[in-house]
Amino acid sequence: MSALAGQIEALLIASSKPVSVEALAELLPDADIAAALGELSRYWQGRGMSLVEESVGVSLLPSKTAAKALSQVGGGNGRRLTEAAVETLCFIALNQPVTVKEIEIARGVKLFKGVVDALMDAGFVRASMRKTDSGRAVTYVTTDLLLEHFGLSSVADFPTPDELEDMMLQQPEI
């Protein structure tokens, strides 16, 4: 691995957030950042880490297989979402931006305020803009943390409702 790729690797490991290509270019002027990122990506391919390029920047994260093993080592210390929270999160992800009223209509039940609060506390959802019609209700959208948690690079990577229906039909019944 080249010295430049090694420097970028160290910056990515030391950073708690994705690092933008622009920031890398400022830190390492006159360097071919794209070539170094390509080299770094090839180096980590098939190993326990992977170079993830997102709209907000570049991260060095555990690969999907390593992440699965890491989750088993953790012993379940992570946050658990209720079934209502998971349903709400799925609806927001697929239909964003949405209001609480739209979620309630889609789910057919009144939404407990704590559900959206729990999703916001987890960092998966944030309040967005207000609707311009009837009462100026707050809308909710998913965050980059949700994308990162599920290994997605953009909202476009979420399955469509038709794809979800096909997946549900393929699941064996318990």
Side-chain angles (χ1 to χ4, degrees):
M1 178 177 356
S2 71
L4 175 61
Q7 289 174 326
I8 292 174
E9 178 184 46
L11 288 168
L12 296 177
I13 290 172
S15 177
S16 61
K17 295 187 262 183
V19 180
S20 70
V21 175
E22 295 80 19
L24 290 172
E26 286 178 24
L27 291 168
L28 303 164
D30 302 322
D32 188 353
I33 302 297
L37 288 173
E39 179 184 353
L40 202 52
S41 180
R42 286 187 299 279
Y43 174 80
W44 282 107
Q45 193 171 17
R47 295 175 182 233
M49 301 290 281
S50 61
L51 191 71
V52 178
E53 295 185 50
E54 304 168 316
S55 60
V56 293
V58 182
S59 302
L60 192 57
L61 301 172
S63 66
K64 289 183 182 190
T65 53
K68 186 175 180 180
L70 287 170
S71 71
Q72 293 171 351
V73 171
N77 293 335
R79 176 184 300 254
R80 291 260 183 225
L81 296 176
T82 64
E83 185 176 330
V86 172
E87 289 175 8
T88 301
L89 180 59
C90 289
F91 184 79
I92 294 170
L94 295 175
N95 299 288
Q96 59 189 310
V98 296
T99 64
V100 168
K101 184 167 181 91
E102 291 167 336
I103 296 168
E104 289 174 341
I105 290 169
R107 291 191 60 230
V109 294
K110 183 153 178 56
L111 188 64
F112 175 63
K113 175 80 168 108
V115 171
V116 174
D117 289 342
L119 294 172
M120 290 177 72
D121 288 345
F124 292 151
V125 171
R126 69 175 174 81
S128 184
M129 59 191 167
R130 289 189 175 270
K131 287 258 183 177
T132 56
D133 60 351
S134 66
R136 299 187 32 84
V138 174
T139 60
Y140 296 94
V141 296
T142 57
T143 64
D144 289 337
L145 180 63
L146 178 72
L147 297 174
E148 183 180 311
H149 181 78
F150 288 103
L152 304 171
S153 57
S154 76
V155 175
D157 293 339
F158 284 125
T160 65
D162 291 337
E163 291 171 333
L164 280 174
E165 190 174 320
D166 289 344
M167 284 186 242
M168 293 304 291
L169 292 174
Q170 293 173 2
Q171 292 288 329
E173 289 194 32
I174 298 174

